[in-house]
Amino acid sequence: MSADKNILESLNKIDLFSQLFNNMSDLVYVTKVGKDGKFSYVLANEPATSFSGLTTKSFGKPLEEVLPKAVFNIIEAKYKQAIDSGEPITYEDKILVSPSFSSNKPNNKYAPGQLVYWESTITPVCNQNGECTHLLAVVRDITERKERENELKRMNDRFELVWNSAADAMYTFDRHQNFVSVNKSFINLLGWTEEEILNDRTISIIPMNSKEDLKEIINRVKNGEVVPSHEVQRITKHGKLIDVLASYSPIYDGNGNWDGAVAVYKDISERKKYEEQLKHHALHDYLTGMPNRNFFSKMLKEEMIRAEKSKRTLAVFYLDIDKFKVINDTLGHDIGDELLKEFSRRVKACIREKDLLARIGGDEFGILITNLYDKKKSIEIAERILSSFRSNWLIEKHHIRVASSIGISFYSPPYKQDEKLLLKQADIALYKAKEKGRGNYQVY
C-alpha cells in the first residue's frame, strides 16, 4: 500500500511539474549536448513548442535540421558561448515568427511574420566531471517592453530633431539654475560648446545689470507662470552683448514639483540694428550724416531744461551758405552736395566736441552751444567758423569762394523763451547778418 502511495505521489508531482512547466509564459528549452558537439532538443514546454513549431519528431534531431538556418546560427553561437564560459549568459534578440507556426492553437498570440523581441538566458548543466551535458534556455517575450522603448526612442529622436532644428536658441536649466541641455542654435548664437556650458558652472550668459530681472523671472516661473517674450541682452563666449527676445516655461518632475525651466532666445540683433538705423535716419541728415531738424529740436528742448536748472546760458546759431543757390544752379547739384558736406565738416571742426551741429534743411544749419559761462565764448566760435571759410575751397576741381551768414540767439534763465521762439530769434538775426552784407554774424 505504501509503495502504491509513493507511486501516486510521484505521478502527482510529475503531473504538477508538467502543468507548471507548460503554463509558464516563458519559452523553456532543454537541449542535449552530444559527444560530437551537436545540439538536439530533449524537452520544451508548450509555449516553446507552439512558437517554434516543434513536433514529437523534432526532439532528438540535430537542431540544424529542426530550426531555420538563420535562427540555428544564432542559437548555436550562444550555446557554445555558454559552454565556454561555464556560466549563464543573457542576451537579447528579435525573430520573425515562422510561417510554420501553428495558428490553430487556442493560446496563440503570434502571427506569422510578426517581429518578436526576446531576452534569452542560457544556463549550462554539467555532470560530476564538469562536462556540459545539457543546456537550459529560458526565453522571455520582451516585445511590449522593446516596443515601448523603441517608441520612446522614436519620440526622443523626433524631439532631438526638432530641438536641434529650431532656429531659436533653447536651453533647459534645473531648480538650481544649472544648465541641463542646450540646442545647436544656442551653441551657434552664444559660442560655447555643449560640453563647456554643461560642465563649467562658472559660465554665465547674464549681464550684471540683468541679474535682478532674472531673479524676478525665476520666481514667476517657480509659481507656474509662463513668462512671455521680452527683450533682454545676453553675453556670448567672446564677451559680446547680443539682443534677444527671451521666454521661459516651467518644467515639473514626476511628482508635479517645479524642477527648472526651458528658455527660448530669439536673436533680434539684426532687427535692433535695423531699428537703430531707422532711428538714425529719422534723426540724421542722409547727405552730411549730421543730426537733422527733429534731432536738433529734441536736444534743444532737453538742453533748455538743463540750462534752467543749472542757471547756465546756451546759444543757438542759425547759419547758411551765402548765395548757395547761385553755386548750385551754376555748377550743378552734385557740386552743391559736395559743398554742403565740406561746409558741415569745417563747421564741425570749429565747435566744441560737446556742441551740436545739425542740418536744418537745404543749406541751413543749426548749432547748439551749451553750458556757457560767458556769452563771449559763442562769439569766439562764430568768428572761428567765419575764418575757416576764408581758405580755398576746392570741390571736384572747382575753386569756389564760400561765405556764410550767422544769426545767434541766447537762452539765459530766468528768461522764458520756448525752443520755437529761440530758433525764430536766431533766424531773425541771420537775416539781419545778410542785410549787413553777408559773411558776418549778428546777435538777436
Side-chain angles (χ1 to χ4, degrees), residues 91-137:
Y91 69 97
E92 291 183 6
D93 198 5
K94 55 187 177 183
I95 300 174
L96 280 172
V97 176
S98 170
S100 61
F101 173 74
S102 180
S103 59
N104 58 357
K105 292 191 176 293
N107 295 326
N108 171 29
K109 63 176 182 178
Y110 303 113
Q114 179 184 352
L115 185 62
V116 182
Y117 293 85
W118 304 101
E119 181 182 76
S120 302
T121 300
I122 302 172
T123 303
V125 179
C126 301
N127 59 21
Q128 293 179 345
N129 298 323
E131 296 174 339
C132 180
T133 59
H134 294 80
L135 292 161
L136 173 65

Side-chain angles (χ1 to χ4, degrees), residues 19 22-25 27 45-51 101-111 114 118 141:
Q19 289 185 42
N22 287 308
N23 287 331
M24 292 176 65
S25 59
L27 313 185
N45 67 351
E46 177 63 27
T49 57
S50 177
F51 176 77
F101 173 74
S102 180
S103 59
N104 58 357
K105 292 191 176 293
N107 295 326
N108 171 29
K109 63 176 182 178
Y110 303 113
Q114 179 184 352
W118 304 101
D141 182 351

Side-chain angles (χ1 to χ4, degrees), residues 300-318:
L300 179 55
K301 290 177 186 178
E302 294 179 7
E303 290 299 334
M304 288 175 75
I305 293 172
R306 290 193 185 95
E308 188 172 353
K309 290 179 179 179
S310 64
K311 307 303 179 187
R312 302 271 175 81
T313 299
L314 63 80
V316 171
F317 286 19
Y318 232 56

Side-chain angles (χ1 to χ4, degrees), residues 7 9 24 59 81 92 97 101 113 146 166 170-171 185 210 243 258 288 290 299 309 325 334 345 350 355 389:
I7 292 172
E9 287 179 353
M24 292 176 65
F59 296 96
Q81 182 182 344
E92 291 183 6
V97 176
F101 173 74
K146 292 299 289 187
M170 303 170 69
Y171 71 96
S185 292
S210 298
D243 295 290
W258 183 74
T288 63
M290 297 296 170
M299 293 305 299
K309 290 179 179 179
K325 187 176 185 305
D334 291 344
R345 282 193 288 266
C350 294
D355 297 330
F389 297 153

Side-chain angles (χ1 to χ4, degrees), residues 125-266:
V125 179
C126 301
N127 59 21
Q128 293 179 345
N129 298 323
E131 296 174 339
C132 180
T133 59
H134 294 80
L135 292 161
L136 173 65
V138 179
V139 183
R140 176 162 296 173
D141 182 351
I142 57 170
T143 302
E144 288 187 10
R145 189 191 84 191
K146 292 299 289 187
E147 286 178 347
R148 287 195 300 269
E149 290 176 357
N150 290 339
E151 179 58 26
L152 182 61
K153 184 179 183 302
R154 283 193 292 270
M155 290 175 63
N156 286 337
D157 289 343
R158 286 194 291 268
F159 170 78
E160 193 75 20
L161 179 63
V162 173
W163 175 255
N164 283 313
S165 298
D168 295 338
M170 303 170 69
Y171 71 96
T172 60
F173 57 89
D174 61 22
R175 64 172 67 90
H176 305 295
Q177 298 179 43
N178 294 321
F179 288 99
V180 175
S181 61
V182 298
N183 72 348
K184 288 183 179 178
S185 292
F186 179 97
I187 295 168
N188 294 335
L189 179 64
L190 293 162
W192 281 286
T193 65
E194 184 176 19
E195 184 179 5
E196 288 172 332
I197 206 77
L198 298 186
N199 295 332
D200 188 348
R201 299 301 188 194
T202 65
I203 293 175
S204 175
I205 62 173
I206 313 299
M208 286 300 297
N209 59 1
S210 298
K211 291 189 182 293
E212 286 301 318
D213 292 339
L214 185 62
K215 284 183 181 178
E216 180 186 345
I217 288 169
I218 297 300
N219 288 333
R220 290 168 63 186
V221 175
K222 280 182 180 178
N223 292 325
E225 184 178 347
V226 174
V227 179
S229 295
H230 59 288
E231 289 189 16
V232 296
Q233 287 189 317
R234 292 297 180 253
I235 306 172
T236 69
K237 181 178 181 179
H238 302 294
K240 179 184 176 184
L241 283 175
I242 56 173
D243 295 290
V244 298
L245 276 179
S247 61
Y248 297 83
S249 302
I251 296 173
Y252 302 96
D253 63 18
N255 297 319
N257 299 316
W258 183 74
D259 198 35
V262 56
V264 181
Y265 291 160
K266 183 178 184 62

